[in-house]
Amino acid sequence: MTWQAVARKDFQDAVRSKWLWALSALFVLVFSLPAILQFYLEMGSAPPQGEQGSSDAFIFLMKQGTSVLVPLIAIVLAYASITQERESGSLKLLLSLPHSREDVVFGKVVGRAGVLTLPIVLGFVVAAVLILATSLSFKLANFVLFAVLTVVLGLVFVGLSVGISAAASTGRRAMMSATGAFFMFVILWNAFANQLVNLLDKYVGLADATQLHAVLFLKLLNPTQAYKTLIDSFLLESAVQSRIMMFGFMRQQVAAQTLGESLPVYLSNGFVVSYLLLWLLVSVGVGYWVFENADL
Amino acid sequence: MAAIEIDGVTKRYGDVVAVRDLSLDIAEGEVFGFLGPNGAGKSTTINMLLDFVRPTEGEIRVLGRDVHDESVAVREHLGVLPEGFSVYDRLTGRQHLEFAIESKDADADPDALLERVGLSGDGDRKAGGYSKGMAQRLVLAMSLVDDPDLLVLDEPSTGLDPNGAKQMREIVREEADRGATVFFSSHILGQVEAVCDRVGILREGELVAEDSIEGLRDAVGSDSTLKVRVDSVPEGVLADLRGIEGVAEVGREDHTLRVTCDSGVKASVITTLESAGAEVEDFEMEESSLEDLFMAYTADKQEVEA
């Protein structure tokens, strides 16, 4: 196994790219903005008595942004990771050395994940420092969990993009597939989940509770939804509450009544984490399989 | 054990046959020149050796191992200068070598390698700023890491100036002296003639010749040109010369005659001239160059068709 060498080279190469520094700047800016705003608003005024805010409020706000921004940037960083080398011919150098194609795919996932994780961590560190300077109370555990989940979300989308890049024969195809994947996960998924269950109901006929569970399950298969609900579940300290929040305001009460006190196991946090990681495994696995059998 | 065993290999891309039923054995320690015009299937063959593409039919073993099933193990003992590669623009020359050294789990000195290919002083520059020739030298240096048992060089002199090409030949010779097998492709024949023990000529995906340079010369009939300077050209002697069996062509330029013939009949050419009353002042043999041979093997078909 020589994927470490591939990952290191890939990271070395990317670190010299201006991209990485632009990304870091972007993340730092995005993460620090709410904290700076808070700090600015507080200047000169006494901290409000009684209802003191915490860093959880920051997380609540930020997760909407990160759930779009992190997938987007992961895709941009990684969709060409293999097709670019294939089209330029540097892949020939890589594969003239004793690396298997497995090492190439795995090394790329690790290398690009490193490239994405570095600016994310930097953004979180800066945000933490800024929050400490405000009157918000800093809840370290939640903040760290938020950071870890954000890195995992990034990893899933890096894996997805590297998988696409490995399977695609040209950069153009990789770009189109990756763009499609982004819109599917970030924009179309929920509508698709509702439609599918409606169709099922129309032809098979489902009990209301079954419908609700089915919609919820489909939504949880979306990595960005899984990410958000996992964050909510530790902010609200209730997995059930966080699942209810996945429904629109109108359906929340029905959802609460249907779900009751506890969740079926396939809607539990543990399973949601496994769905998230399944995307990583499946997309890297399928990408590798196609790449392994391709003529280069 | 043969260094390379290609056994009945065919590669098709849809309807196009890139390589047709190719069988070729390269012995260990041999320097083999793989010749052919562009598009003959040389790179496809090399890409199959490296497992970049897979044969439609047939088997390839390199250093006794199947190139697909044991691809990584094969490449641990291989040094490769591929065709149509590009370097990593943002990495320096030294970083390229360090990557090759790490990948091969080798213990080599990047500076010594840089010096060997004539890049000393350029190691800390980004490879994106290298000329084509420099990139070629850098990848040659990468291929030399860890003293490979087999060097596969695809069109190695691409982008090199004459001096660089000479250095390349010297390195090929040094590697062969060390005991390495060298397999290299070229459409530039001077390269091959100077360093190869044996050559194979590929045309339209098929191996049309496989022999030593001398063997090839004999096989083609190896006409030589005899250049004779005489004091005078007696009448009728040209016709006499043309009548000698083994003489293909007689040309005249003032007092110099050019006789294309088998090397075996040069004595009768001289005798015929002298008995006709001409005094031979000077003569020399010009052996046909590999270039002519190569043309004979690869161009005759097109000429006939034309």
Side-chain angles (χ1 to χ4, degrees):
Chain A
M1 289 299 277
T2 53
W3 59 269
Q4 294 95 331
V6 178
R8 194 169 311 132
K9 179 213 59 81
D10 199 49
F11 187 77
Q12 262 186 348
D13 191 20
V15 159
R16 278 170 182 71
S17 153
K18 292 182 183 72
W19 254 104
L20 184 68
W21 302 109
L23 268 185
S24 302
L26 181 70
F27 272 112
V28 169
L29 194 73
V30 168
F31 281 90
S32 49
L33 214 57
I36 290 173
L37 207 64
Q38 174 74 15
F39 183 71
Y40 184 74
L41 289 174
E42 284 176 2
M43 273 209 312
S45 66
Q49 295 296 313
E51 43 162 318
Q52 197 181 20
S54 77
S55 57
D56 283 359
F58 163 82
I59 298 172
F60 215 80
L61 181 70
M62 286 308 298
K63 75 165 196 292
Q64 295 298 341
T66 50
S67 69
V68 176
L69 196 62
V70 169
L72 180 66
I73 288 171
I75 283 172
V76 170
L77 266 180
Y79 85 87
S81 55
I82 291 175
T83 50
Q84 193 193 27
E85 289 218 27
R86 195 164 161 176
E87 288 183 333
S88 75
S90 57
L91 189 62
K92 287 187 172 176
L93 287 195
L94 200 54
L95 286 175
S96 291
L97 295 166
H99 303 293
S100 66
R101 295 191 191 184
E102 198 178 338
D103 291 330
V104 171
V105 174
F106 200 45
K108 285 284 178 188
V109 172
V110 174
R112 299 288 155 127
V115 172
L116 180 65
T117 302
L118 196 72
I120 289 179
V121 169
L122 203 64
F124 272 99
V125 169
V126 171
V129 170
L130 286 168
I131 290 170
L132 285 171
T134 67
S135 69
L136 294 175
S137 67
F138 189 69
K139 293 191 172 172
L140 181 69
N142 283 356
F143 193 80
V144 170
L145 265 172
F146 178 42
V148 168
L149 276 171
T150 305
V151 168
V152 169
L153 181 71
L155 184 63
V156 168
F157 275 89
V158 165
L160 184 79
S161 309
V162 172
I164 287 173
S165 202
S169 53
T170 65
R172 218 181 117 77
R173 285 187 193 178
M175 192 177 74
M176 287 181 343
S177 309
T179 310
F182 177 77
F183 280 107
M184 181 175 82
F185 285 131
V186 174
I187 295 170
L188 301 174
W189 192 280
N190 279 358
F192 159 80
N194 285 322
Q195 284 299 326
L196 189 70
V197 172
N198 282 346
L199 271 177
L200 268 178
D201 181 42
K202 196 168 157 191
Y203 290 105
V204 190
L206 299 172
D208 286 352
T210 317
Q211 274 189 50
L212 194 105
H213 283 136
V215 168
L216 201 50
F217 173 69
L218 286 174
K219 284 184 173 180
L220 289 171
L221 287 183
N222 179 342
T224 64
Q225 294 284 331
Y227 164 78
K228 285 196 271 191
T229 194
L230 284 171
I231 290 168
D232 286 343
S233 76
F234 64 76
L235 289 182
L236 300 167
E237 289 169 11
S238 157
V240 181
Q241 279 302 316
S242 71
R243 299 298 176 274
I244 292 167
M245 299 227 346
M246 293 181 74
F247 291 97
F249 185 70
M250 305 294 283
R251 288 180 77 185
Q252 283 188 0
Q253 201 164 3
V254 181
Q257 279 163 4
T258 312
L259 288 174
E261 291 294 302
S262 68
L263 292 166
V265 65
Y266 63 92
L267 301 178
S268 66
N269 275 354
F271 271 70
V272 174
V273 171
S274 70
Y275 302 151
L276 200 54
L277 296 178
L278 204 62
W279 279 106
L280 181 65
L281 283 180
V282 169
S283 43
V284 174
V286 170
Y288 161 69
W289 184 80
V290 175
F291 186 56
E292 175 63 33
N293 291 297
D295 275 352
L296 305 176
Chain B
M1 186 179 68
I4 301 177
E5 302 156 81
I6 300 175
D7 187 15
V9 164
T10 296
K11 177 64 186 178
R12 281 189 207 93
Y13 291 101
D15 291 341
V16 182
V17 182
V19 173
R20 192 191 304 271
D21 196 25
L22 178 68
S23 292
L24 188 62
D25 281 355
I26 314 294
E28 264 186 36
E30 195 173 13
V31 179
F32 189 87
F34 199 42
L35 291 174
N38 290 330
K42 301 188 302 284
S43 286
T44 303
T45 305
I46 287 178
N47 286 342
M48 286 191 287
L49 289 182
L50 300 173
D51 195 40
F52 292 171
V53 304
R54 282 72 187 246
T56 315
E57 282 162 38
E59 267 183 53
I60 305 178
R61 295 174 74 79
V62 167
L63 303 169
R65 298 169 196 268
D66 185 277
V67 291
H68 177 60
D69 298 339
E70 297 176 85
S71 176
V72 172
V74 166
R75 283 177 283 135
E76 273 166 9
H77 303 281
L78 227 58
V80 185
L81 173 56
E83 174 263 349
F85 67 84
S86 89
V87 292
Y88 294 101
D89 290 351
R90 289 189 294 259
L91 299 182
T92 65
R94 189 187 312 278
Q95 282 171 324
H96 277 80
L97 286 170
E98 281 164 355
F99 176 54
I101 292 166
E102 188 190 357
S103 300
K104 285 200 159 176
D105 203 9
D107 184 23
D109 176 11
D111 288 310
L113 286 162
L114 286 167
E115 195 184 332
R116 199 168 163 204
V117 297
L119 282 180
S120 28
D122 295 310
D124 292 321
R125 280 176 55 193
K126 285 183 182 172
Y130 282 10
S131 68
K132 180 79 184 86
M134 290 170 79
Q136 196 80 2
R137 286 164 189 261
L138 175 61
V139 178
L140 178 66
M142 287 172 76
S143 77
L144 297 175
V145 168
D146 206 23
D147 294 341
D149 297 331
L150 171 63
L151 267 173
V152 176
L153 312 174
D154 200 351
E155 297 280 358
S157 40
T158 308
L160 295 179
D161 54 24
N163 189 36
K166 185 166 159 264
Q167 267 184 318
M168 171 76 69
R169 282 198 296 274
E170 279 164 12
I171 287 173
V172 166
R173 239 181 244 120
E174 285 162 18
E175 290 296 295
D177 290 346
R178 175 174 67 73
T181 311
V182 183
F183 182 90
F184 74 94
S185 79
S186 183
H187 65 282
I188 300 168
L189 299 143
Q191 294 281 318
V192 171
E193 202 170 9
V195 290
C196 284
D197 300 323
R198 216 153 59 92
V199 297
I201 298 179
L202 202 64
R203 184 179 69 190
E204 290 172 13
E206 286 182 83
L207 195 65
V208 290
E210 180 194 354
D211 212 334
S212 64
I213 306 270
E214 283 70 37
L216 276 183
R217 285 212 172 96
D218 291 344
V220 171
S222 85
D223 281 347
S224 312
T225 302
L226 183 64
K227 231 167 94 182
V228 197
R229 203 169 72 224
V230 286
D231 64 339
S232 66
V233 182
E235 219 164 296
V237 76
L238 295 183
D240 290 347
L241 288 175
R242 287 196 183 101
I244 300 170
E245 197 173 335
V247 171
E249 209 184 322
V250 180
R252 182 188 167 183
E253 201 178 301
D254 290 331
H255 290 243
T256 304
L257 302 177
R258 295 176 62 89
V259 184
T260 310
C261 60
D262 287 348
S263 355
V265 298
K266 53 186 173 187
S268 10
V269 170
I270 303 294
T271 323
T272 307
L273 276 169
E274 286 181 333
S275 60
E279 195 176 315
V280 174
E281 291 174 343
D282 192 17
F283 70 92
E284 60 175 324
M285 286 293 282
E286 281 176 356
E287 283 197 285
S288 56
S289 72
L290 193 61
E291 186 83 35
D292 300 329
L293 284 174
F294 181 63
M295 293 303 283
Y297 269 114
T298 59
D300 62 347
K301 199 177 169 199
Q302 284 96 313
E303 275 173 18
V304 170
E305 282 169 353

